[in-house]
Amino acid sequence: EKEVILARVQDLPAWVFFPDFERVEWLNRVVDQLWPSIGYFITHLLTIQVEPLIKKSLDGLTLKDFKFKRVLLGNIPPRIGGIKCYDKNTSTAKNEIIMDLELTWAGDCDIQVSIKGVKASILDLYIYGQLRVVLKPLIHNLPLVGGIQVYFLNNPNVDFEVGGLANVTDI
């Protein structure tokens, strides 16, 4: 019984263990409502900006004709288990806001790519990690921040299913 309880303790959000992390259920509700728009934005970003960069990097190789065939992030948005906002007087410069988020996404996505007509898919993506969001510089006009940096503090835990030619390893 003790092992079962200890195994479940790992699944608890950061705000349970660290008093400087706060619950943000309200933010999870906002992300849930914005998820269709976020999905559209990421699809546009991948197909318009990232795809040409990948094509250019594969230009000298025999792996040409890279294309995102489908980018569906699914219906399950990421969840934020807790958030820590650093105090401007102790940890950050006066012209920035730093936040650490405990991010979990067990999504039902379907991302299909094609290289030389051969299709591969990433399905059911899982990501867990500590995400840092830095808003800087703070400015006096809307949108009140000059830029945003988003990155993982450490390598996130990532798991996914594959389909198409990538699924050949399951044979």
Side-chain angles (χ1 to χ4, degrees), residues 9-15 17-18 21 78-82 101-107 125-131 152-159:
V9 167
Q10 293 177 6
D11 297 336
L12 294 174
W15 59 266
F17 300 107
F18 305 107
F21 271 77
R79 290 198 46 83
I80 299 168
L101 292 76
E102 178 189 39
L103 181 79
T104 303
W105 185 35
L125 184 60
Y126 171 81
I127 300 173
Y128 172 80
Q130 297 296 321
L131 191 70
F152 283 99
L153 291 173
N154 299 308
N155 290 335
N157 294 332
V158 177
D159 192 20

PDB file of all heavy atoms in Angstrom, residues 9-15 17-18 21 78-82 101-107 125-131 152-159:
ATOM      1  N   VAL A   9       2.266  10.014  -5.514  1.00  0.00           N
ATOM      2  CA  VAL A   9       2.763  11.314  -5.066  1.00  0.00           C
ATOM      3  C   VAL A   9       3.506  12.022  -6.192  1.00  0.00           C
ATOM      4  O   VAL A   9       3.435  13.239  -6.333  1.00  0.00           O
ATOM      5  CB  VAL A   9       3.653  11.151  -3.813  1.00  0.00           C
ATOM      6  CG1 VAL A   9       4.434  12.409  -3.513  1.00  0.00           C
ATOM      7  CG2 VAL A   9       2.808  10.751  -2.617  1.00  0.00           C
ATOM      8  N   GLN A  10       4.187  11.275  -7.055  1.00  0.00           N
ATOM      9  CA  GLN A  10       4.910  11.871  -8.176  1.00  0.00           C
ATOM     10  C   GLN A  10       3.973  12.602  -9.136  1.00  0.00           C
ATOM     11  O   GLN A  10       4.382  13.519  -9.825  1.00  0.00           O
ATOM     12  CB  GLN A  10       5.669  10.804  -8.960  1.00  0.00           C
ATOM     13  CG  GLN A  10       6.787  10.172  -8.195  1.00  0.00           C
ATOM     14  CD  GLN A  10       7.452   9.078  -9.020  1.00  0.00           C
ATOM     15  OE1 GLN A  10       7.138   8.887 -10.187  1.00  0.00           O
ATOM     16  NE2 GLN A  10       8.378   8.375  -8.409  1.00  0.00           N
ATOM     17  N   ASP A  11       2.719  12.182  -9.191  1.00  0.00           N
ATOM     18  CA  ASP A  11       1.760  12.763 -10.126  1.00  0.00           C
ATOM     19  C   ASP A  11       1.113  14.046  -9.618  1.00  0.00           C
ATOM     20  O   ASP A  11       0.352  14.672 -10.343  1.00  0.00           O
ATOM     21  CB  ASP A  11       0.658  11.748 -10.456  1.00  0.00           C
ATOM     22  CG  ASP A  11       1.208  10.517 -11.168  1.00  0.00           C
ATOM     23  OD1 ASP A  11       2.277  10.636 -11.795  1.00  0.00           O
ATOM     24  OD2 ASP A  11       0.570   9.461 -11.095  1.00  0.00           O
ATOM     25  N   LEU A  12       1.396  14.427  -8.384  1.00  0.00           N
ATOM     26  CA  LEU A  12       0.792  15.629  -7.831  1.00  0.00           C
ATOM     27  C   LEU A  12       1.435  16.874  -8.431  1.00  0.00           C
ATOM     28  O   LEU A  12       2.626  16.883  -8.739  1.00  0.00           O
ATOM     29  CB  LEU A  12       0.942  15.647  -6.305  1.00  0.00           C
ATOM     30  CG  LEU A  12       0.176  14.550  -5.565  1.00  0.00           C
ATOM     31  CD1 LEU A  12       0.521  14.569  -4.077  1.00  0.00           C
ATOM     32  CD2 LEU A  12      -1.314  14.701  -5.761  1.00  0.00           C
ATOM     33  N   PRO A  13       0.672  17.959  -8.598  1.00  0.00           N
ATOM     34  CA  PRO A  13       1.222  19.193  -9.182  1.00  0.00           C
ATOM     35  C   PRO A  13       2.224  19.871  -8.251  1.00  0.00           C
ATOM     36  O   PRO A  13       2.256  19.618  -7.043  1.00  0.00           O
ATOM     37  CB  PRO A  13      -0.011  20.069  -9.399  1.00  0.00           C
ATOM     38  CG  PRO A  13      -1.050  19.508  -8.516  1.00  0.00           C
ATOM     39  CD  PRO A  13      -0.752  18.065  -8.316  1.00  0.00           C
ATOM     40  N   ALA A  14       3.029  20.753  -8.825  1.00  0.00           N
ATOM     41  CA  ALA A  14       4.120  21.402  -8.097  1.00  0.00           C
ATOM     42  C   ALA A  14       3.637  22.223  -6.912  1.00  0.00           C
ATOM     43  O   ALA A  14       4.324  22.317  -5.899  1.00  0.00           O
ATOM     44  CB  ALA A  14       4.918  22.292  -9.052  1.00  0.00           C
ATOM     45  N   TRP A  15       2.435  22.805  -6.995  1.00  0.00           N
ATOM     46  CA  TRP A  15       1.973  23.659  -5.912  1.00  0.00           C
ATOM     47  C   TRP A  15       1.747  22.885  -4.619  1.00  0.00           C
ATOM     48  O   TRP A  15       1.712  23.464  -3.537  1.00  0.00           O
ATOM     49  CB  TRP A  15       0.731  24.462  -6.297  1.00  0.00           C
ATOM     50  CG  TRP A  15      -0.449  23.636  -6.702  1.00  0.00           C
ATOM     51  CD1 TRP A  15      -0.801  23.282  -7.973  1.00  0.00           C
ATOM     52  CD2 TRP A  15      -1.436  23.067  -5.838  1.00  0.00           C
ATOM     53  NE1 TRP A  15      -1.935  22.524  -7.952  1.00  0.00           N
ATOM     54  CE2 TRP A  15      -2.353  22.375  -6.653  1.00  0.00           C
ATOM     55  CE3 TRP A  15      -1.638  23.074  -4.472  1.00  0.00           C
ATOM     56  CZ2 TRP A  15      -3.443  21.693  -6.148  1.00  0.00           C
ATOM     57  CZ3 TRP A  15      -2.730  22.392  -3.959  1.00  0.00           C
ATOM     58  CH2 TRP A  15      -3.614  21.717  -4.795  1.00  0.00           C
ATOM     59  N   PHE A  17       3.895  20.613  -3.406  1.00  0.00           N
ATOM     60  CA  PHE A  17       5.194  20.462  -2.761  1.00  0.00           C
ATOM     61  C   PHE A  17       5.906  21.784  -2.499  1.00  0.00           C
ATOM     62  O   PHE A  17       6.672  21.900  -1.555  1.00  0.00           O
ATOM     63  CB  PHE A  17       6.108  19.582  -3.626  1.00  0.00           C
ATOM     64  CG  PHE A  17       5.550  18.216  -3.858  1.00  0.00           C
ATOM     65  CD1 PHE A  17       5.046  17.866  -5.098  1.00  0.00           C
ATOM     66  CD2 PHE A  17       5.508  17.284  -2.836  1.00  0.00           C
ATOM     67  CE1 PHE A  17       4.529  16.603  -5.309  1.00  0.00           C
ATOM     68  CE2 PHE A  17       4.994  16.024  -3.035  1.00  0.00           C
ATOM     69  CZ  PHE A  17       4.505  15.675  -4.286  1.00  0.00           C
ATOM     70  N   PHE A  18       5.704  22.754  -3.371  1.00  0.00           N
ATOM     71  CA  PHE A  18       6.446  24.008  -3.297  1.00  0.00           C
ATOM     72  C   PHE A  18       5.477  25.159  -3.045  1.00  0.00           C
ATOM     73  O   PHE A  18       4.662  25.485  -3.907  1.00  0.00           O
ATOM     74  CB  PHE A  18       7.217  24.257  -4.601  1.00  0.00           C
ATOM     75  CG  PHE A  18       8.120  23.113  -4.964  1.00  0.00           C
ATOM     76  CD1 PHE A  18       7.796  22.265  -6.015  1.00  0.00           C
ATOM     77  CD2 PHE A  18       9.282  22.872  -4.251  1.00  0.00           C
ATOM     78  CE1 PHE A  18       8.617  21.204  -6.354  1.00  0.00           C
ATOM     79  CE2 PHE A  18      10.110  21.812  -4.579  1.00  0.00           C
ATOM     80  CZ  PHE A  18       9.777  20.969  -5.631  1.00  0.00           C
ATOM     81  N   PHE A  21       4.847  27.927  -5.712  1.00  0.00           N
ATOM     82  CA  PHE A  21       4.059  27.639  -6.916  1.00  0.00           C
ATOM     83  C   PHE A  21       2.590  27.814  -6.569  1.00  0.00           C
ATOM     84  O   PHE A  21       2.132  27.387  -5.514  1.00  0.00           O
ATOM     85  CB  PHE A  21       4.302  26.208  -7.414  1.00  0.00           C
ATOM     86  CG  PHE A  21       5.443  26.087  -8.376  1.00  0.00           C
ATOM     87  CD1 PHE A  21       6.740  26.114  -7.927  1.00  0.00           C
ATOM     88  CD2 PHE A  21       5.209  25.951  -9.728  1.00  0.00           C
ATOM     89  CE1 PHE A  21       7.801  26.005  -8.804  1.00  0.00           C
ATOM     90  CE2 PHE A  21       6.258  25.840 -10.619  1.00  0.00           C
ATOM     91  CZ  PHE A  21       7.564  25.862 -10.155  1.00  0.00           C
ATOM     92  N   PRO A  78      -2.967  21.502 -23.312  1.00  0.00           N
ATOM     93  CA  PRO A  78      -2.017  21.281 -22.222  1.00  0.00           C
ATOM     94  C   PRO A  78      -2.600  21.796 -20.905  1.00  0.00           C
ATOM     95  O   PRO A  78      -3.500  22.630 -20.893  1.00  0.00           O
ATOM     96  CB  PRO A  78      -0.787  22.099 -22.617  1.00  0.00           C
ATOM     97  CG  PRO A  78      -1.143  22.845 -23.833  1.00  0.00           C
ATOM     98  CD  PRO A  78      -2.483  22.448 -24.294  1.00  0.00           C
ATOM     99  N   ARG A  79      -2.067  21.276 -19.803  1.00  0.00           N
ATOM    100  CA  ARG A  79      -2.480  21.728 -18.470  1.00  0.00           C
ATOM    101  C   ARG A  79      -1.281  22.284 -17.735  1.00  0.00           C
ATOM    102  O   ARG A  79      -0.174  21.768 -17.857  1.00  0.00           O
ATOM    103  CB  ARG A  79      -3.078  20.581 -17.659  1.00  0.00           C
ATOM    104  CG  ARG A  79      -4.424  20.148 -18.198  1.00  0.00           C
ATOM    105  CD  ARG A  79      -5.234  19.347 -17.222  1.00  0.00           C
ATOM    106  NE  ARG A  79      -5.313  19.849 -15.863  1.00  0.00           N
ATOM    107  CZ  ARG A  79      -6.145  20.783 -15.427  1.00  0.00           C
ATOM    108  NH1 ARG A  79      -6.954  21.377 -16.277  1.00  0.00           N
ATOM    109  NH2 ARG A  79      -6.162  21.149 -14.168  1.00  0.00           N
ATOM    110  N   ILE A  80      -1.542  23.303 -16.964  1.00  0.00           N
ATOM    111  CA  ILE A  80      -0.503  23.909 -16.136  1.00  0.00           C
ATOM    112  C   ILE A  80      -0.783  23.490 -14.699  1.00  0.00           C
ATOM    113  O   ILE A  80      -1.837  23.798 -14.142  1.00  0.00           O
ATOM    114  CB  ILE A  80      -0.506  25.440 -16.293  1.00  0.00           C
ATOM    115  CG1 ILE A  80      -0.229  25.788 -17.755  1.00  0.00           C
ATOM    116  CG2 ILE A  80       0.523  26.068 -15.364  1.00  0.00           C
ATOM    117  CD1 ILE A  80      -0.488  27.226 -18.113  1.00  0.00           C
ATOM    118  N   GLY A  81       0.164  22.726 -14.123  1.00  0.00           N
ATOM    119  CA  GLY A  81      -0.015  22.203 -12.771  1.00  0.00           C
ATOM    120  C   GLY A  81       0.240  23.249 -11.709  1.00  0.00           C
ATOM    121  O   GLY A  81      -0.299  23.190 -10.619  1.00  0.00           O
ATOM    122  N   GLY A  82       1.071  24.205 -12.009  1.00  0.00           N
ATOM    123  CA  GLY A  82       1.380  25.270 -11.069  1.00  0.00           C
ATOM    124  C   GLY A  82       2.230  26.313 -11.760  1.00  0.00           C
ATOM    125  O   GLY A  82       2.824  26.057 -12.812  1.00  0.00           O
ATOM    126  N   LEU A 101       6.428  27.466 -15.275  1.00  0.00           N
ATOM    127  CA  LEU A 101       5.171  26.735 -15.336  1.00  0.00           C
ATOM    128  C   LEU A 101       5.452  25.247 -15.381  1.00  0.00           C
ATOM    129  O   LEU A 101       6.348  24.805 -16.110  1.00  0.00           O
ATOM    130  CB  LEU A 101       4.384  27.098 -16.602  1.00  0.00           C
ATOM    131  CG  LEU A 101       3.808  28.490 -16.732  1.00  0.00           C
ATOM    132  CD1 LEU A 101       4.872  29.511 -17.081  1.00  0.00           C
ATOM    133  CD2 LEU A 101       2.736  28.492 -17.779  1.00  0.00           C
ATOM    134  N   GLU A 102       4.698  24.482 -14.617  1.00  0.00           N
ATOM    135  CA  GLU A 102       4.740  23.033 -14.708  1.00  0.00           C
ATOM    136  C   GLU A 102       3.744  22.634 -15.796  1.00  0.00           C
ATOM    137  O   GLU A 102       2.532  22.760 -15.612  1.00  0.00           O
ATOM    138  CB  GLU A 102       4.369  22.406 -13.369  1.00  0.00           C
ATOM    139  CG  GLU A 102       4.360  20.898 -13.415  1.00  0.00           C
ATOM    140  CD  GLU A 102       3.784  20.308 -12.144  1.00  0.00           C
ATOM    141  OE1 GLU A 102       2.805  20.859 -11.615  1.00  0.00           O
ATOM    142  OE2 GLU A 102       4.313  19.291 -11.705  1.00  0.00           O
ATOM    143  N   LEU A 103       4.244  22.200 -16.946  1.00  0.00           N
ATOM    144  CA  LEU A 103       3.402  21.946 -18.115  1.00  0.00           C
ATOM    145  C   LEU A 103       3.260  20.449 -18.362  1.00  0.00           C
ATOM    146  O   LEU A 103       4.262  19.726 -18.374  1.00  0.00           O
ATOM    147  CB  LEU A 103       4.010  22.606 -19.351  1.00  0.00           C
ATOM    148  CG  LEU A 103       3.223  22.442 -20.642  1.00  0.00           C
ATOM    149  CD1 LEU A 103       2.053  23.412 -20.660  1.00  0.00           C
ATOM    150  CD2 LEU A 103       4.102  22.647 -21.848  1.00  0.00           C
ATOM    151  N   THR A 104       2.029  20.007 -18.570  1.00  0.00           N
ATOM    152  CA  THR A 104       1.745  18.630 -18.962  1.00  0.00           C
ATOM    153  C   THR A 104       0.811  18.671 -20.152  1.00  0.00           C
ATOM    154  O   THR A 104      -0.213  19.345 -20.124  1.00  0.00           O
ATOM    155  CB  THR A 104       1.057  17.847 -17.819  1.00  0.00           C
ATOM    156  OG1 THR A 104       1.869  17.895 -16.666  1.00  0.00           O
ATOM    157  CG2 THR A 104       0.822  16.400 -18.210  1.00  0.00           C
ATOM    158  N   TRP A 105       1.195  17.962 -21.212  1.00  0.00           N
ATOM    159  CA  TRP A 105       0.289  17.827 -22.351  1.00  0.00           C
ATOM    160  C   TRP A 105       0.255  16.367 -22.768  1.00  0.00           C
ATOM    161  O   TRP A 105       1.256  15.828 -23.245  1.00  0.00           O
ATOM    162  CB  TRP A 105       0.716  18.704 -23.521  1.00  0.00           C
ATOM    163  CG  TRP A 105      -0.267  18.668 -24.663  1.00  0.00           C
ATOM    164  CD1 TRP A 105      -1.616  18.566 -24.592  1.00  0.00           C
ATOM    165  CD2 TRP A 105       0.040  18.726 -26.056  1.00  0.00           C
ATOM    166  NE1 TRP A 105      -2.180  18.569 -25.845  1.00  0.00           N
ATOM    167  CE2 TRP A 105      -1.182  18.666 -26.761  1.00  0.00           C
ATOM    168  CE3 TRP A 105       1.219  18.830 -26.777  1.00  0.00           C
ATOM    169  CZ2 TRP A 105      -1.252  18.696 -28.147  1.00  0.00           C
ATOM    170  CZ3 TRP A 105       1.155  18.865 -28.153  1.00  0.00           C
ATOM    171  CH2 TRP A 105      -0.073  18.801 -28.831  1.00  0.00           C
ATOM    172  N   ALA A 106      -0.879  15.748 -22.576  1.00  0.00           N
ATOM    173  CA  ALA A 106      -1.124  14.396 -23.066  1.00  0.00           C
ATOM    174  C   ALA A 106      -2.172  14.553 -24.157  1.00  0.00           C
ATOM    175  O   ALA A 106      -3.361  14.324 -23.949  1.00  0.00           O
ATOM    176  CB  ALA A 106      -1.598  13.495 -21.939  1.00  0.00           C
ATOM    177  N   GLY A 107      -1.719  14.990 -25.326  1.00  0.00           N
ATOM    178  CA  GLY A 107      -2.617  15.387 -26.393  1.00  0.00           C
ATOM    179  C   GLY A 107      -2.971  14.266 -27.341  1.00  0.00           C
ATOM    180  O   GLY A 107      -2.286  13.253 -27.432  1.00  0.00           O
ATOM    181  N   LEU A 125       0.831  12.765 -28.652  1.00  0.00           N
ATOM    182  CA  LEU A 125       2.047  13.351 -28.081  1.00  0.00           C
ATOM    183  C   LEU A 125       1.875  13.619 -26.587  1.00  0.00           C
ATOM    184  O   LEU A 125       0.834  14.110 -26.148  1.00  0.00           O
ATOM    185  CB  LEU A 125       2.368  14.656 -28.812  1.00  0.00           C
ATOM    186  CG  LEU A 125       3.643  15.387 -28.461  1.00  0.00           C
ATOM    187  CD1 LEU A 125       4.863  14.521 -28.724  1.00  0.00           C
ATOM    188  CD2 LEU A 125       3.731  16.679 -29.254  1.00  0.00           C
ATOM    189  N   TYR A 126       2.908  13.264 -25.806  1.00  0.00           N
ATOM    190  CA  TYR A 126       2.934  13.534 -24.366  1.00  0.00           C
ATOM    191  C   TYR A 126       4.180  14.357 -24.063  1.00  0.00           C
ATOM    192  O   TYR A 126       5.284  13.969 -24.456  1.00  0.00           O
ATOM    193  CB  TYR A 126       2.970  12.228 -23.570  1.00  0.00           C
ATOM    194  CG  TYR A 126       3.221  12.452 -22.094  1.00  0.00           C
ATOM    195  CD1 TYR A 126       2.194  12.815 -21.232  1.00  0.00           C
ATOM    196  CD2 TYR A 126       4.497  12.320 -21.564  1.00  0.00           C
ATOM    197  CE1 TYR A 126       2.430  13.032 -19.888  1.00  0.00           C
ATOM    198  CE2 TYR A 126       4.747  12.535 -20.213  1.00  0.00           C
ATOM    199  CZ  TYR A 126       3.705  12.891 -19.379  1.00  0.00           C
ATOM    200  OH  TYR A 126       3.947  13.116 -18.045  1.00  0.00           O
ATOM    201  N   ILE A 127       3.996  15.488 -23.392  1.00  0.00           N
ATOM    202  CA  ILE A 127       5.121  16.345 -22.991  1.00  0.00           C
ATOM    203  C   ILE A 127       4.911  16.756 -21.539  1.00  0.00           C
ATOM    204  O   ILE A 127       3.810  17.173 -21.161  1.00  0.00           O
ATOM    205  CB  ILE A 127       5.210  17.612 -23.869  1.00  0.00           C
ATOM    206  CG1 ILE A 127       5.412  17.253 -25.337  1.00  0.00           C
ATOM    207  CG2 ILE A 127       6.331  18.530 -23.388  1.00  0.00           C
ATOM    208  CD1 ILE A 127       5.340  18.429 -26.288  1.00  0.00           C
ATOM    209  N   TYR A 128       5.965  16.623 -20.741  1.00  0.00           N
ATOM    210  CA  TYR A 128       5.927  17.102 -19.362  1.00  0.00           C
ATOM    211  C   TYR A 128       7.256  17.792 -19.065  1.00  0.00           C
ATOM    212  O   TYR A 128       8.323  17.254 -19.363  1.00  0.00           O
ATOM    213  CB  TYR A 128       5.734  15.962 -18.361  1.00  0.00           C
ATOM    214  CG  TYR A 128       5.882  16.437 -16.941  1.00  0.00           C
ATOM    215  CD1 TYR A 128       4.844  17.081 -16.294  1.00  0.00           C
ATOM    216  CD2 TYR A 128       7.087  16.284 -16.267  1.00  0.00           C
ATOM    217  CE1 TYR A 128       4.995  17.561 -14.996  1.00  0.00           C
ATOM    218  CE2 TYR A 128       7.244  16.758 -14.973  1.00  0.00           C
ATOM    219  CZ  TYR A 128       6.199  17.385 -14.345  1.00  0.00           C
ATOM    220  OH  TYR A 128       6.355  17.880 -13.076  1.00  0.00           O
ATOM    221  N   GLY A 129       7.188  18.990 -18.493  1.00  0.00           N
ATOM    222  CA  GLY A 129       8.422  19.677 -18.124  1.00  0.00           C
ATOM    223  C   GLY A 129       8.159  21.023 -17.474  1.00  0.00           C
ATOM    224  O   GLY A 129       7.016  21.480 -17.375  1.00  0.00           O
ATOM    225  N   GLN A 130       9.252  21.628 -17.026  1.00  0.00           N
ATOM    226  CA  GLN A 130       9.198  22.964 -16.433  1.00  0.00           C
ATOM    227  C   GLN A 130       9.460  23.977 -17.529  1.00  0.00           C
ATOM    228  O   GLN A 130      10.562  24.026 -18.081  1.00  0.00           O
ATOM    229  CB  GLN A 130      10.239  23.092 -15.317  1.00  0.00           C
ATOM    230  CG  GLN A 130      10.012  22.149 -14.157  1.00  0.00           C
ATOM    231  CD  GLN A 130       8.711  22.410 -13.423  1.00  0.00           C
ATOM    232  OE1 GLN A 130       8.317  23.560 -13.235  1.00  0.00           O
ATOM    233  NE2 GLN A 130       8.033  21.354 -13.017  1.00  0.00           N
ATOM    234  N   LEU A 131       8.470  24.783 -17.838  1.00  0.00           N
ATOM    235  CA  LEU A 131       8.545  25.757 -18.911  1.00  0.00           C
ATOM    236  C   LEU A 131       8.782  27.136 -18.313  1.00  0.00           C
ATOM    237  O   LEU A 131       8.111  27.536 -17.369  1.00  0.00           O
ATOM    238  CB  LEU A 131       7.223  25.743 -19.687  1.00  0.00           C
ATOM    239  CG  LEU A 131       7.164  26.485 -21.006  1.00  0.00           C
ATOM    240  CD1 LEU A 131       8.004  25.762 -22.045  1.00  0.00           C
ATOM    241  CD2 LEU A 131       5.725  26.576 -21.480  1.00  0.00           C
ATOM    242  N   PHE A 152      12.056  25.379 -22.199  1.00  0.00           N
ATOM    243  CA  PHE A 152      12.067  24.431 -21.095  1.00  0.00           C
ATOM    244  C   PHE A 152      13.353  24.621 -20.301  1.00  0.00           C
ATOM    245  O   PHE A 152      14.429  24.777 -20.881  1.00  0.00           O
ATOM    246  CB  PHE A 152      11.969  22.991 -21.602  1.00  0.00           C
ATOM    247  CG  PHE A 152      10.584  22.600 -22.031  1.00  0.00           C
ATOM    248  CD1 PHE A 152      10.220  22.621 -23.367  1.00  0.00           C
ATOM    249  CD2 PHE A 152       9.642  22.216 -21.087  1.00  0.00           C
ATOM    250  CE1 PHE A 152       8.947  22.273 -23.756  1.00  0.00           C
ATOM    251  CE2 PHE A 152       8.354  21.870 -21.463  1.00  0.00           C
ATOM    252  CZ  PHE A 152       8.008  21.894 -22.801  1.00  0.00           C
ATOM    253  N   LEU A 153      13.237  24.577 -18.965  1.00  0.00           N
ATOM    254  CA  LEU A 153      14.408  24.717 -18.109  1.00  0.00           C
ATOM    255  C   LEU A 153      15.330  23.507 -18.232  1.00  0.00           C
ATOM    256  O   LEU A 153      16.548  23.636 -18.159  1.00  0.00           O
ATOM    257  CB  LEU A 153      13.994  24.907 -16.649  1.00  0.00           C
ATOM    258  CG  LEU A 153      13.309  26.240 -16.354  1.00  0.00           C
ATOM    259  CD1 LEU A 153      12.785  26.265 -14.927  1.00  0.00           C
ATOM    260  CD2 LEU A 153      14.281  27.386 -16.580  1.00  0.00           C
ATOM    261  N   ASN A 154      14.756  22.333 -18.392  1.00  0.00           N
ATOM    262  CA  ASN A 154      15.489  21.084 -18.608  1.00  0.00           C
ATOM    263  C   ASN A 154      14.821  20.360 -19.767  1.00  0.00           C
ATOM    264  O   ASN A 154      13.729  20.736 -20.189  1.00  0.00           O
ATOM    265  CB  ASN A 154      15.442  20.199 -17.346  1.00  0.00           C
ATOM    266  CG  ASN A 154      16.077  20.875 -16.158  1.00  0.00           C
ATOM    267  OD1 ASN A 154      17.204  21.345 -16.232  1.00  0.00           O
ATOM    268  ND2 ASN A 154      15.356  20.936 -15.044  1.00  0.00           N
ATOM    269  N   ASN A 155      15.465  19.313 -20.252  1.00  0.00           N
ATOM    270  CA  ASN A 155      14.836  18.532 -21.309  1.00  0.00           C
ATOM    271  C   ASN A 155      13.509  17.980 -20.806  1.00  0.00           C
ATOM    272  O   ASN A 155      13.473  17.329 -19.758  1.00  0.00           O
ATOM    273  CB  ASN A 155      15.735  17.370 -21.743  1.00  0.00           C
ATOM    274  CG  ASN A 155      16.959  17.840 -22.489  1.00  0.00           C
ATOM    275  OD1 ASN A 155      16.955  18.910 -23.079  1.00  0.00           O
ATOM    276  ND2 ASN A 155      18.003  17.046 -22.457  1.00  0.00           N
ATOM    277  N   PRO A 156      12.419  18.234 -21.529  1.00  0.00           N
ATOM    278  CA  PRO A 156      11.114  17.720 -21.080  1.00  0.00           C
ATOM    279  C   PRO A 156      11.021  16.211 -21.327  1.00  0.00           C
ATOM    280  O   PRO A 156      11.744  15.656 -22.163  1.00  0.00           O
ATOM    281  CB  PRO A 156      10.122  18.475 -21.960  1.00  0.00           C
ATOM    282  CG  PRO A 156      10.891  18.784 -23.202  1.00  0.00           C
ATOM    283  CD  PRO A 156      12.315  19.010 -22.759  1.00  0.00           C
ATOM    284  N   ASN A 157      10.131  15.559 -20.600  1.00  0.00           N
ATOM    285  CA  ASN A 157       9.800  14.166 -20.892  1.00  0.00           C
ATOM    286  C   ASN A 157       8.867  14.184 -22.094  1.00  0.00           C
ATOM    287  O   ASN A 157       7.844  14.872 -22.076  1.00  0.00           O
ATOM    288  CB  ASN A 157       9.104  13.505 -19.708  1.00  0.00           C
ATOM    289  CG  ASN A 157      10.003  13.374 -18.511  1.00  0.00           C
ATOM    290  OD1 ASN A 157      11.216  13.270 -18.645  1.00  0.00           O
ATOM    291  ND2 ASN A 157       9.419  13.387 -17.327  1.00  0.00           N
ATOM    292  N   VAL A 158       9.216  13.431 -23.126  1.00  0.00           N
ATOM    293  CA  VAL A 158       8.424  13.404 -24.355  1.00  0.00           C
ATOM    294  C   VAL A 158       8.172  11.950 -24.738  1.00  0.00           C
ATOM    295  O   VAL A 158       9.093  11.118 -24.696  1.00  0.00           O
ATOM    296  CB  VAL A 158       9.159  14.124 -25.517  1.00  0.00           C
ATOM    297  CG1 VAL A 158       8.362  14.030 -26.806  1.00  0.00           C
ATOM    298  CG2 VAL A 158       9.442  15.568 -25.160  1.00  0.00           C
ATOM    299  N   ASP A 159       6.941  11.652 -25.100  1.00  0.00           N
ATOM    300  CA  ASP A 159       6.579  10.331 -25.585  1.00  0.00           C
ATOM    301  C   ASP A 159       5.531  10.520 -26.675  1.00  0.00           C
ATOM    302  O   ASP A 159       4.768  11.491 -26.638  1.00  0.00           O
ATOM    303  CB  ASP A 159       6.025   9.477 -24.445  1.00  0.00           C
ATOM    304  CG  ASP A 159       5.900   8.005 -24.830  1.00  0.00           C
ATOM    305  OD1 ASP A 159       6.566   7.571 -25.798  1.00  0.00           O
ATOM    306  OD2 ASP A 159       5.115   7.288 -24.183  1.00  0.00           O
TER     307      ASP A 159
END
